[in-house]
Amino acid sequence: MAQMQASSAAVAAPVTGAGLLERIRALLPAIAANADRAEQERRIPPENIAMLGEAGLYRAFQPRLYGGLELDAADYGPCLVELAGACGATAWVSSLLAQHVHGTALFSRATQDEIWGANDGADLIASSVAPIGQAEIVDGGILLSGRFGFSSGSDHAQWFILGFRHPGRQPPRDKHFAIVRANEVAIVDDWHTAGLQGTGSKTLTIDGVFVPDHRIESLVALNSGTSQGFGANPSHIYHAAFMPHFNIGFPAVAVGMARRMAEVYAERTRSRIKVFTGQNAATRSPAAIRLARGIFPTEAALSLLEKDWRTIDARSAGRQLPDTDEMFRFRTNHSYCIQLAIQAAEELFGGSGGSAWFLSNELQRLWRNIHMCGAHAGTDYDTCSEVLGRYRLGLDLDPSL
Amino acid sequence: MAQMQASSAAVAAPVTGAGLLERIRALLPAIAANADRAEQERRIPPENIAMLGEAGLYRAFQPRLYGGLELDAADYGPCLVELAGACGATAWVSSLLAQHVHGTALFSRATQDEIWGANDGADLIASSVAPIGQAEIVDGGILLSGRFGFSSGSDHAQWFILGFRHPGRQPPRDKHFAIVRANEVAIVDDWHTAGLQGTGSKTLTIDGVFVPDHRIESLVALNSGTSQGFGANPSHIYHAAFMPHFNIGFPAVAVGMARRMAEVYAERTRSRIKVFTGQNAATRSPAAIRLARGIFPTEAALSLLEKDWRTIDARSAGRQLPDTDEMFRFRTNHSYCIQLAIQAAEELFGGSGGSAWFLSNELQRLWRNIHMCGAHAGTDYDTCSEVLGRYRLGLDLDPSL
Amino acid sequence: MAQMQASSAAVAAPVTGAGLLERIRALLPAIAANADRAEQERRIPPENIAMLGEAGLYRAFQPRLYGGLELDAADYGPCLVELAGACGATAWVSSLLAQHVHGTALFSRATQDEIWGANDGADLIASSVAPIGQAEIVDGGILLSGRFGFSSGSDHAQWFILGFRHPGRQPPRDKHFAIVRANEVAIVDDWHTAGLQGTGSKTLTIDGVFVPDHRIESLVALNSGTSQGFGANPSHIYHAAFMPHFNIGFPAVAVGMARRMAEVYAERTRSRIKVFTGQNAATRSPAAIRLARGIFPTEAALSLLEKDWRTIDARSAGRQLPDTDEMFRFRTNHSYCIQLAIQAAEELFGGSGGSAWFLSNELQRLWRNIHMCGAHAGTDYDTCSEVLGRYRLGLDLDPSL
Amino acid sequence: MAQMQASSAAVAAPVTGAGLLERIRALLPAIAANADRAEQERRIPPENIAMLGEAGLYRAFQPRLYGGLELDAADYGPCLVELAGACGATAWVSSLLAQHVHGTALFSRATQDEIWGANDGADLIASSVAPIGQAEIVDGGILLSGRFGFSSGSDHAQWFILGFRHPGRQPPRDKHFAIVRANEVAIVDDWHTAGLQGTGSKTLTIDGVFVPDHRIESLVALNSGTSQGFGANPSHIYHAAFMPHFNIGFPAVAVGMARRMAEVYAERTRSRIKVFTGQNAATRSPAAIRLARGIFPTEAALSLLEKDWRTIDARSAGRQLPDTDEMFRFRTNHSYCIQLAIQAAEELFGGSGGSAWFLSNELQRLWRNIHMCGAHAGTDYDTCSEVLGRYRLGLDLDPSL
């Protein structure tokens, strides 16, 4: 198969998780230097995407067949945490580009070949997954139309995963994803926000595009090992549900930014002089206490994420899908981890004074961006809390999670 | 005296607090319409300043002698609360322009005549009060130099109050204010921030400008009824300390924005549909609970402010300076009221989803601006907490508060 | 009328709010000295009830006709706040005994005469108001049965107000109160709790007791000026709804305890030495900061309560019932004020160390009791939040509030 | 050596961590059944100590030479978490009895032989470690006097570790521990508290007791691998610092209770009917949300503890002492984990209503006891926050941690 040869050439020696992390670390200064530009241009600088693509980040969950690395979650997660410390928007977009690959590897072989069979398997996939598309059933597939918001990294994708409700299915089994080519989609340049500007999470519109059935999967199928491509790729990492992998990025990015924020706060506090008193800020108890209270929740969140990553990997290594308890945990823990990062950000920023509000000061961007990680529909803390609570109370579940 | 006649003409009939509030209410739609522009231009649109000036806001605490209204704090405060609902930056700047007048009315008569004796008493006074100026004692005054940050409304002022430490005095009695003409000061266009952009709180530089002693007062003198102009104006509102009046604006602006935020949240939630579920957001318990938890702290803060305003007025009406307990209360309560507004903002914004982050959405601006009210050196919650706590523990005080 | 003469003798000169407060202040040392005993005996010492009864506390809202004081809410509330500083349980019980009087004065004249026509009008009324009684309609009234929990001060009452759903009415207009004699009720000595032990909030049982219709009112009627006795007593304080008066006590007691807690914390911190370091605890920043953060929320809560009390009084003085906005405010603000007191208690107790946990240390009792104020069905913060939020979202209301 | 033979007999086959956990699980129903009694008798029932002793809990860190299990921290910690779910007081005392063994195994061989050379090595060791003892240097040791508070499990110990400042050393190297026989100490029955009553953390008094130098170690020595017995026992678990092992119990117990609390809350909520509305409490959103918010922080805390336990074990397995970063982490993380447990307890208890306050309801005990875990001098959140913050700010350290 042509693509195999091509991709083997692209990534000659297998890259381990530690290897990927090392490669990314080497890029962090360059990524950080582009952070302002990402915000001003309201998209990730293409150089960032290129550098990270060459490093292999977007191949973390790609099948070896197409040149991928087939990494475990526990090897992948730390890459995002560190990347987020350099540029949260780049990490946010990159996490989605990388994680979409895992879901796509659960689609049919035909889909995988279409996407990764050319260009050395380097095509990138963005998405807008809320089920708001309108679908009309036609022979061999659907005609898909709709206006989809919040498509992070849309400027860099060759393919899009779009959510819709399948007119032939009943809730909650009707939530579906269709994969379409970027040239079938129009991008609306409407991403004018107060945070994560660099993610370029623009609106997509599509009007009556044909999507063949082999590029359509339901959320339930992707989460339950019943999708068309389940088992097609030999690695254990595809003996897994879609959702837990898809959710890795949001909290990892928030936690990575919060860790960076504590560093910046500490560096700055060491040299900060209070204007009214002429005192060194660092010597005051509240400055130290706020620093610690920025560190504690962040590290607790990270430890919880690491535990979840290991659980994901242990399940796939054992070729078992996560059980219901675990699915609820993966579905909801990430929202709490983001809240912990937000608490940390509030502690640190709340003690940083007016000078931290200047656009030249990294703290304000971290503070905004960390908060915004909690504003994703999937990371909503109230919803996730109610979902987990109802499950633990034995109330009716949402089968698609 | 010329200025008396002029100013009598300017405000023919005495305006009451209720009257001022009515006038301001009539301006709110126009002020709100300018809010985006204020942010983009990084200063208050001159039209806003003109409208509010004509309404009399900047004369709230001005002596009648110069055309002022001599309002009580309890009549003035609500004007800021409502104004902040239309544009927080305009309210922030306006509060300072109005409150500086009260402090200036405690300076020498000569100072007052210089400032308000011309232009119908309409000159405006901005400030940068942290004691960072360098002063050299010369005959009859000082030569003042320095670089002063955070001068809100600097673009609109004809005069500036600048902080410095008097080389001839010992701490903490060395903190002083000098009043200089705007044309003696250079404004650095450096106000590039993530919040309250419209306040145009730019840096001022001044180099060796002579300030006569009659335009110099110490913070202690202004707070203890021993300044050169104390008693010069007959109204009871000048039988008061500088600091409590100066602090009125910060929390009033934060609370006013938080009240507006609850309104916007409620309006928006009523019509918001959750994309993943198609459900009306308003019918979910967490949406209602977050609204209430945005309202409760805001209303508690407002009631505490109103109580403090009444106490300020009761003291001045009785021609007594506030006692030590009250001074500590006025010095610190405002920081807590801002924290309550921030809590409200976090509750409301934390449940508003990704669409609230668009720059076209008022919620994100309110959320940013409310937070930034707590970043002023004088409103720092840790400092104010420690100041109050130490006082109540009977530990050594800072005589200048 | 005999009772008028008798009661005129009992309280010769009219007692003002300030007068009642003075009388109660004089009793505080004796009340405080009984606080441990109240906890151990799981009821208020009868001496406390007697002292406070003689002082007139239970007559605060009683019609003059029966010897009452007819005080405004703003005069009554501070009495509870100060009383709670001496003994929270005594204040809790006393508030209910006093407030039940207001509701009873909205019942029929026949009911009022029955209760206050003898014993110089000194009979006391306790309650269990949740609508859990079973009623059978009979000629001229009902037969009431049931098991009612949480009847605070039950040991001291001559009468009980009991809640039930009237079988002849539809929800939510079916919630009713019946007033029965204490000798028709059995008290179950089951009040074994971890907080507010002194309230003796025991279970009541009643089995088929006849209650005449004149001793029955609906919650809706009592809140809407349509009860049998509405207008029967001339004072403006009876031109009021039941609920706002009934709710005065819960938050006032919590706030009073929180104020006391800050005092005790400050006194103790001044002399506390940290065992590991030998340092005086008071000189550490966190000790001062925690004190302030125990004071701020408490004072904010008090200012909000005072504002609500004044609003209650302004409405009744104007002979208008509260409007819907106000009813929702009175129905829900108290739950937030208790939360503020709980926040204060957590701040103060969280910094008090292990020695504060000894039963001999007042802090632990205050901490427990303040928390428990939030556990009343009517003060539940989640419920009150949702009630207010839904109202402000324009969703369907609960007509009985 | 006699003791080796005896102890080999005592525990014939080596018990693994999993084995110990299984043994303890079998005891949990009996331990739970004694929880009320522990509280009433203000000490752990001797049966609990005997059962857990036979199971091997107190031998977890004991050298094999004396019959110990030499378990890793990651194997030991979960035993405490589960035990705390049955009886927090028993877990608290047991954790100290078990952890003191680790510290004692770093004392001189002579000390170890004295303590474990008889009674099959079953002697138990309690402590009061704050450095408040008075020591007089005499030939070969010291004469120790003092009054030591908070000695948990004192009723069950044959030996006590007591803190004092060595008169021959300078701070902070002067903090020392002396080990004395229980019959040299008087126990004052003064443990009358509002929480963790069962721990029997009574005051000890000692008057001029001789302690030989071989039973004395400094805190610095125990934490830096320079104590007299360091290296005497071959297992890697003694190639470790004292403090991290000593701190394992406090947060593990708090987290175990918080996990139990979520279970009890869920069970109870499933069947709870709200008295005012007749509604099943479980179906209300806030009930589910509170449950989740009781679970999230608890699980985050547990994951952080597990990570720290693994780090402890990895260091000792590698025969390296923890580095400074790790020591600060072990010194402070536990205080945050307890705060997370307290947050969980507040969420759960705050939504449990008045019935949860009855002494017959497990929730109130869990709520009290979880809070009290944060009141230990070593777990103080403010202190730990400041310690960590100052370290990360590069400020001066406390060499003894």
Side-chain angles (χ1 to χ4, degrees):
Chain A
M1 293 162 77
Q3 70 273 18
M4 280 189 68
Q5 297 164 350
S7 56
S8 295
V11 182
V15 174
T16 62
L20 179 59
L21 185 57
E22 282 309 304
R23 289 180 179 193
I24 289 174
R25 276 186 184 149
L27 304 176
L28 296 180
I31 302 284
N34 280 344
D36 275 335
R37 197 181 130 206
E39 191 158 87
Q40 286 153 17
E41 299 182 357
R42 296 177 296 106
R43 65 169 191 167
I44 305 305
E47 296 90 320
N48 286 14
I49 301 293
M51 285 188 281
L52 291 163
E54 279 170 43
L57 180 55
Y58 310 132
R59 293 187 186 269
F61 295 136
Q62 195 182 33
R64 286 242 166 92
L65 179 64
Y66 306 107
L69 307 180
E70 298 186 346
L71 294 187
D72 276 340
D75 289 326
Y76 165 75
C79 298
L80 299 181
V81 172
E82 298 215 14
L83 181 56
C87 175
T90 297
W92 180 275
V93 166
S94 294
S95 75
L96 289 166
L97 295 178
Q99 291 149 199
H100 292 145
V101 172
H102 185 270
T104 301
L106 303 176
F107 273 63
S108 65
R109 171 64 65 203
T111 300
Q112 298 181 46
D113 280 346
E114 277 184 285
I115 296 176
W116 294 314
N119 300 329
D120 284 353
D123 272 12
L124 299 178
I125 312 161
S127 75
S128 180
V129 297
I132 51 181
Q134 308 295 321
E136 179 188 342
I137 300 180
V138 294
D139 193 40
I142 60 165
L143 297 182
L144 183 65
S145 302
R147 186 177 181 86
F148 303 79
F150 298 100
S151 182
S152 300
S154 47
D155 293 309
H156 310 291
Q158 285 76 42
W159 299 84
F160 288 104
I161 304 176
L162 300 178
F164 69 101
R165 294 188 188 276
H166 202 294
R169 308 280 178 82
Q170 292 306 310
R173 305 189 77 85
D174 62 339
K175 289 185 193 162
H176 279 67
F177 300 130
I179 303 185
V180 301
R181 293 176 193 276
N183 62 14
E184 296 169 325
V185 166
I187 299 177
V188 185
D189 184 12
D190 61 356
W191 187 245
H192 300 275
T193 59
L196 287 175
Q197 290 94 330
T199 63
S201 307
K202 300 168 185 176
T203 296
L204 310 176
T205 62
I206 184 170
D207 186 11
V209 168
F210 174 72
V211 189
D213 283 334
H214 72 259
R215 278 201 256 119
I216 293 174
E217 286 293 347
S218 77
L219 180 53
V220 168
L222 290 169
N223 280 336
S224 61
T226 58
S227 64
Q228 299 170 58
F230 190 84
N233 295 302
S235 166
H236 68 274
I237 76 164
Y238 307 110
H239 202 106
F242 161 77
M243 183 270 288
H245 278 81
F246 180 72
N247 279 349
I248 291 174
F250 307 128
V253 172
V255 164
M257 288 194 283
R259 291 191 117 193
R260 171 65 185 156
M261 202 168 173
E263 279 176 19
V264 177
Y265 174 95
E267 283 164 27
R268 186 165 163 274
T269 301
R270 277 181 211 120
S271 59
R272 189 174 165 219
I273 303 297
K274 295 257 181 179
V275 290
F276 271 85
T277 58
Q279 219 183 354
N280 180 346
T283 62
R284 294 190 63 247
S285 294
I289 289 175
R290 281 192 182 267
L291 174 54
R293 292 179 185 176
I295 292 170
F296 285 138
T298 305
E299 296 307 305
L302 181 58
S303 70
L304 186 55
L305 293 180
E306 290 168 343
K307 186 173 180 176
D308 283 353
W309 298 337
R310 289 193 306 271
T311 306
I312 289 173
D313 295 336
R315 280 296 182 183
S316 61
R319 304 216 165 239
Q320 283 188 303
L321 291 173
D323 63 25
T324 308
D325 261 23
E326 289 163 345
M327 284 298 270
F328 273 96
R329 182 170 150 182
F330 301 144
R331 163 80 173 84
T332 61
N333 269 355
H334 69 155
S335 77
Y336 178 64
C337 291
I338 293 172
Q339 291 301 312
L340 287 174
I342 291 172
Q343 287 174 21
E346 285 287 297
E347 282 286 341
L348 296 169
F349 202 54
S352 293
S355 56
W357 282 82
F358 278 89
L359 293 179
S360 55
N361 191 306
E362 195 177 346
L363 287 173
Q364 56 80 26
R365 182 163 65 218
L366 291 163
W367 173 75
R368 288 184 285 111
N369 288 352
I370 291 168
H371 270 88
M372 199 171 173
C373 293
H376 189 280
T379 62
D380 184 81
Y381 186 47
D382 291 342
T383 303
C384 288
S385 297
E386 196 163 354
V387 163
L388 177 64
R390 286 181 66 84
Y391 168 64
R392 295 288 282 261
L393 286 170
L395 298 176
D396 57 304
L397 314 180
D398 174 351
S400 71
L401 295 176
Chain B
M1 294 162 77
Q3 69 273 21
M4 281 190 65
Q5 297 165 352
S7 56
S8 297
V11 183
V15 175
T16 62
L20 180 59
L21 185 57
E22 282 310 304
R23 290 180 178 193
I24 288 175
R25 276 186 183 148
L27 304 175
L28 296 180
I31 302 282
N34 280 343
D36 275 335
R37 197 182 131 206
E39 192 159 84
Q40 286 153 17
E41 299 182 355
R42 296 178 296 105
R43 64 167 193 170
I44 305 305
E47 297 90 320
N48 286 15
I49 301 293
M51 287 189 280
L52 292 163
E54 279 171 43
L57 180 55
Y58 309 131
R59 292 187 187 270
F61 295 136
Q62 194 182 33
R64 287 242 167 92
L65 178 64
Y66 308 106
L69 307 179
E70 297 185 345
L71 294 187
D72 275 340
D75 289 325
Y76 164 74
C79 299
L80 299 181
V81 173
E82 299 215 12
L83 181 57
C87 175
T90 297
W92 180 274
V93 166
S94 295
S95 75
L96 288 165
L97 295 179
Q99 292 149 198
H100 292 143
V101 172
H102 185 271
T104 302
L106 303 176
F107 273 63
S108 65
R109 172 63 64 204
T111 300
Q112 298 181 46
D113 281 345
E114 277 183 285
I115 296 175
W116 295 314
N119 301 328
D120 285 352
D123 273 10
L124 299 178
I125 312 161
S127 75
S128 181
V129 297
I132 51 181
Q134 307 296 321
E136 180 187 342
I137 301 180
V138 293
D139 194 41
I142 60 164
L143 298 182
L144 184 65
S145 302
R147 186 176 181 88
F148 303 80
F150 299 100
S151 182
S152 300
S154 47
D155 293 308
H156 310 290
Q158 285 75 42
W159 298 85
F160 287 104
I161 304 176
L162 299 177
F164 69 101
R165 294 189 187 277
H166 203 294
R169 306 280 179 83
Q170 292 306 312
R173 304 190 77 86
D174 62 340
K175 290 184 194 164
H176 278 69
F177 300 131
I179 303 185
V180 301
R181 294 176 193 276
N183 61 14
E184 296 167 325
V185 166
I187 299 177
V188 185
D189 185 13
D190 60 356
W191 186 245
H192 300 275
T193 60
L196 288 174
Q197 289 94 332
T199 62
S201 306
K202 300 168 185 174
T203 296
L204 311 176
T205 62
I206 184 170
D207 185 12
V209 167
F210 175 73
V211 189
D213 284 333
H214 72 258
R215 278 200 255 118
I216 294 174
E217 286 293 348
S218 76
L219 180 53
V220 168
L222 290 168
N223 280 335
S224 61
T226 57
S227 64
Q228 298 170 60
F230 191 84
N233 295 302
S235 166
H236 68 274
I237 77 163
Y238 308 109
H239 202 107
F242 161 78
M243 183 270 289
H245 278 81
F246 180 73
N247 280 349
I248 291 173
F250 308 127
V253 172
V255 164
M257 289 194 283
R259 292 191 115 192
R260 172 64 186 156
M261 202 169 173
E263 281 176 18
V264 178
Y265 175 95
E267 283 165 27
R268 187 165 163 274
T269 301
R270 278 182 209 119
S271 59
R272 188 174 166 219
I273 303 296
K274 292 257 181 179
V275 289
F276 270 85
T277 60
Q279 219 183 356
N280 181 346
T283 62
R284 294 190 64 246
S285 294
I289 289 175
R290 280 191 183 266
L291 175 54
R293 293 180 185 176
I295 292 170
F296 285 138
T298 306
E299 296 308 304
L302 182 57
S303 71
L304 186 56
L305 293 180
E306 290 169 343
K307 185 173 180 176
D308 282 352
W309 298 337
R310 290 193 306 270
T311 305
I312 290 173
D313 295 337
R315 281 295 181 184
S316 61
R319 304 215 167 241
Q320 283 189 301
L321 291 173
D323 62 25
T324 308
D325 261 22
E326 289 163 345
M327 285 297 272
F328 273 96
R329 181 171 151 183
F330 301 145
R331 163 82 175 80
T332 61
N333 270 355
H334 70 156
S335 77
Y336 179 64
C337 292
I338 293 172
Q339 291 301 312
L340 287 174
I342 290 173
Q343 288 174 20
E346 284 287 297
E347 283 286 341
L348 296 169
F349 201 53
S352 294
S355 57
W357 281 82
F358 278 90
L359 293 178
S360 55
N361 192 304
E362 196 178 344
L363 288 173
Q364 56 80 25
R365 183 164 62 219
L366 290 162
W367 173 75
R368 287 184 286 113
N369 288 352
I370 291 167
H371 270 87
M372 199 170 172
C373 293
H376 190 281
T379 63
D380 184 80
Y381 186 46
D382 291 341
T383 302
C384 287
S385 296
E386 196 163 354
V387 163
L388 178 63
R390 287 181 66 84
Y391 169 63
R392 295 288 281 262
L393 286 169
L395 299 176
D396 58 306
L397 315 179
D398 173 353
S400 70
L401 293 176
Chain C
M1 293 164 78
Q3 69 273 20
M4 280 188 67
Q5 296 164 351
S7 57
S8 296
V11 182
V15 174
T16 62
L20 179 59
L21 185 57
E22 282 309 305
R23 290 180 179 194
I24 288 174
R25 277 185 182 149
L27 303 176
L28 296 181
I31 302 284
N34 280 344
D36 275 335
R37 197 181 131 206
E39 191 159 86
Q40 286 153 18
E41 299 183 356
R42 296 178 297 106
R43 65 169 192 168
I44 305 305
E47 296 90 320
N48 286 15
I49 301 293
M51 286 188 282
L52 292 163
E54 279 171 42
L57 180 55
Y58 309 132
R59 292 187 186 271
F61 295 136
Q62 194 182 34
R64 286 242 166 92
L65 179 64
Y66 307 107
L69 307 180
E70 297 185 345
L71 294 187
D72 276 340
D75 289 325
Y76 164 75
C79 298
L80 299 182
V81 172
E82 299 216 10
L83 181 57
C87 175
T90 297
W92 181 274
V93 166
S94 295
S95 75
L96 288 166
L97 295 179
Q99 292 150 199
H100 292 144
V101 171
H102 185 270
T104 302
L106 302 176
F107 273 63
S108 66
R109 172 62 67 203
T111 300
Q112 298 181 47
D113 280 345
E114 277 184 285
I115 296 176
W116 294 315
N119 300 330
D120 284 353
D123 272 11
L124 299 179
I125 311 162
S127 75
S128 181
V129 297
I132 51 181
Q134 308 295 322
E136 180 188 343
I137 300 181
V138 295
D139 194 41
I142 60 165
L143 298 182
L144 183 66
S145 302
R147 186 176 181 87
F148 303 79
F150 298 100
S151 183
S152 300
S154 47
D155 293 309
H156 310 290
Q158 285 76 42
W159 299 84
F160 287 104
I161 304 176
L162 300 178
F164 68 101
R165 295 188 187 277
H166 202 294
R169 308 279 179 81
Q170 292 306 310
R173 306 189 76 86
D174 62 340
K175 289 184 194 164
H176 278 68
F177 300 130
I179 303 186
V180 302
R181 294 178 193 275
N183 62 14
E184 296 168 325
V185 166
I187 299 176
V188 185
D189 185 13
D190 61 355
W191 187 244
H192 300 276
T193 59
L196 287 174
Q197 290 94 330
T199 63
S201 305
K202 300 169 184 175
T203 296
L204 310 176
T205 62
I206 184 170
D207 186 12
V209 167
F210 175 73
V211 188
D213 283 334
H214 73 260
R215 278 201 255 120
I216 293 174
E217 285 295 348
S218 77
L219 180 53
V220 168
L222 290 169
N223 279 337
S224 61
T226 58
S227 64
Q228 299 170 58
F230 190 83
N233 295 302
S235 167
H236 67 275
I237 76 162
Y238 308 109
H239 202 105
F242 160 77
M243 183 269 289
H245 278 81
F246 179 72
N247 279 350
I248 292 173
F250 307 127
V253 172
V255 165
M257 287 193 284
R259 291 191 118 192
R260 172 64 185 155
M261 202 168 173
E263 280 176 19
V264 177
Y265 175 95
E267 283 165 27
R268 186 165 163 275
T269 302
R270 278 181 211 118
S271 59
R272 188 173 166 219
I273 303 296
K274 294 258 181 178
V275 289
F276 271 85
T277 59
Q279 219 183 355
N280 180 346
T283 61
R284 294 190 63 245
S285 294
I289 289 175
R290 281 191 182 267
L291 174 55
R293 292 179 185 177
I295 292 170
F296 285 137
T298 305
E299 295 308 304
L302 181 58
S303 71
L304 186 56
L305 293 180
E306 290 168 344
K307 186 173 180 176
D308 282 352
W309 298 337
R310 289 192 306 270
T311 306
I312 291 173
D313 295 337
R315 280 296 182 183
S316 60
R319 303 214 166 242
Q320 283 189 302
L321 290 173
D323 62 25
T324 307
D325 261 22
E326 289 163 346
M327 284 297 271
F328 272 96
R329 182 170 149 181
F330 300 145
R331 163 81 173 83
T332 61
N333 269 355
H334 69 156
S335 77
Y336 179 64
C337 292
I338 293 172
Q339 291 300 312
L340 287 174
I342 290 173
Q343 287 174 21
E346 285 286 298
E347 282 286 341
L348 296 169
F349 201 54
S352 294
S355 56
W357 282 81
F358 278 89
L359 294 178
S360 55
N361 192 306
E362 195 177 344
L363 287 172
Q364 55 80 25
R365 182 162 66 218
L366 290 162
W367 174 75
R368 288 184 285 113
N369 288 353
I370 291 168
H371 269 87
M372 199 170 171
C373 292
H376 189 280
T379 62
D380 184 80
Y381 187 46
D382 291 341
T383 303
C384 287
S385 296
E386 196 164 353
V387 163
L388 177 64
R390 286 180 66 84
Y391 168 64
R392 296 288 281 263
L393 286 169
L395 299 176
D396 58 306
L397 314 180
D398 173 352
S400 70
L401 293 178
Chain D
M1 295 162 77
Q3 69 272 22
M4 281 190 66
Q5 296 166 352
S7 56
S8 297
V11 182
V15 174
T16 62
L20 180 60
L21 185 57
E22 281 310 304
R23 289 180 179 194
I24 288 175
R25 276 186 183 148
L27 303 176
L28 296 180
I31 302 283
N34 279 344
D36 275 335
R37 196 180 132 208
E39 191 159 86
Q40 286 153 17
E41 298 183 355
R42 296 178 295 105
R43 64 167 192 168
I44 306 305
E47 296 90 321
N48 286 14
I49 301 292
M51 286 188 282
L52 291 163
E54 280 171 41
L57 180 55
Y58 308 132
R59 292 186 186 271
F61 295 135
Q62 195 182 33
R64 286 242 167 93
L65 178 65
Y66 307 106
L69 308 179
E70 297 185 345
L71 294 187
D72 275 340
D75 289 324
Y76 164 75
C79 299
L80 298 181
V81 173
E82 298 214 13
L83 180 57
C87 175
T90 297
W92 180 274
V93 166
S94 294
S95 75
L96 289 166
L97 295 179
Q99 292 150 198
H100 292 143
V101 171
H102 185 271
T104 302
L106 302 176
F107 273 64
S108 65
R109 171 64 64 205
T111 300
Q112 299 181 47
D113 281 344
E114 276 184 286
I115 296 175
W116 294 314
N119 301 328
D120 285 352
D123 272 11
L124 299 178
I125 311 161
S127 76
S128 180
V129 298
I132 51 180
Q134 307 296 322
E136 180 187 342
I137 301 180
V138 294
D139 193 41
I142 61 163
L143 297 183
L144 184 64
S145 301
R147 186 177 181 89
F148 303 81
F150 299 101
S151 183
S152 300
S154 48
D155 293 308
H156 309 290
Q158 283 77 42
W159 299 84
F160 287 104
I161 303 175
L162 300 178
F164 69 100
R165 295 188 187 275
H166 202 294
R169 307 279 179 83
Q170 292 305 312
R173 306 189 76 86
D174 62 340
K175 290 184 194 164
H176 279 68
F177 300 130
I179 303 185
V180 302
R181 295 176 192 276
N183 61 14
E184 296 169 324
V185 166
I187 299 176
V188 184
D189 185 13
D190 60 355
W191 187 245
H192 300 274
T193 61
L196 288 175
Q197 290 94 332
T199 61
S201 307
K202 299 169 186 175
T203 296
L204 310 176
T205 62
I206 184 170
D207 186 12
V209 167
F210 175 73
V211 189
D213 283 333
H214 72 259
R215 278 201 255 118
I216 294 174
E217 286 294 347
S218 76
L219 180 53
V220 168
L222 290 168
N223 279 336
S224 62
T226 58
S227 64
Q228 299 170 59
F230 190 84
N233 295 301
S235 167
H236 68 275
I237 75 164
Y238 307 109
H239 202 106
F242 160 77
M243 184 270 288
H245 278 81
F246 180 72
N247 279 349
I248 291 173
F250 307 127
V253 172
V255 164
M257 288 195 284
R259 293 191 114 192
R260 172 65 185 156
M261 203 169 172
E263 281 175 18
V264 178
Y265 175 94
E267 284 165 26
R268 187 165 163 273
T269 301
R270 279 182 208 117
S271 59
R272 189 174 165 218
I273 303 297
K274 293 257 182 180
V275 290
F276 269 85
T277 59
Q279 219 183 355
N280 181 344
T283 62
R284 294 191 64 246
S285 294
I289 289 174
R290 281 192 183 267
L291 175 54
R293 293 180 186 176
I295 292 171
F296 285 138
T298 306
E299 296 308 305
L302 182 57
S303 71
L304 186 56
L305 293 180
E306 290 168 343
K307 186 173 180 176
D308 283 353
W309 298 336
R310 288 193 306 270
T311 305
I312 290 173
D313 295 336
R315 280 296 181 183
S316 60
R319 305 218 164 237
Q320 283 189 303
L321 291 173
D323 63 25
T324 307
D325 261 23
E326 289 164 344
M327 284 298 271
F328 272 96
R329 181 170 151 183
F330 302 144
R331 162 81 174 81
T332 61
N333 270 354
H334 70 155
S335 77
Y336 179 64
C337 292
I338 293 172
Q339 291 301 312
L340 287 174
I342 290 172
Q343 287 174 21
E346 285 287 298
E347 282 287 340
L348 296 168
F349 202 54
S352 294
S355 57
W357 282 82
F358 279 89
L359 293 179
S360 55
N361 192 305
E362 196 178 343
L363 288 172
Q364 55 80 27
R365 183 165 62 218
L366 290 163
W367 173 76
R368 288 184 285 112
N369 288 353
I370 291 167
H371 270 87
M372 198 169 173
C373 292
H376 189 280
T379 63
D380 185 80
Y381 186 47
D382 291 341
T383 302
C384 287
S385 297
E386 197 163 353
V387 164
L388 177 63
R390 287 181 66 83
Y391 168 63
R392 295 288 281 262
L393 287 169
L395 298 177
D396 57 306
L397 314 179
D398 174 351
S400 71
L401 295 177

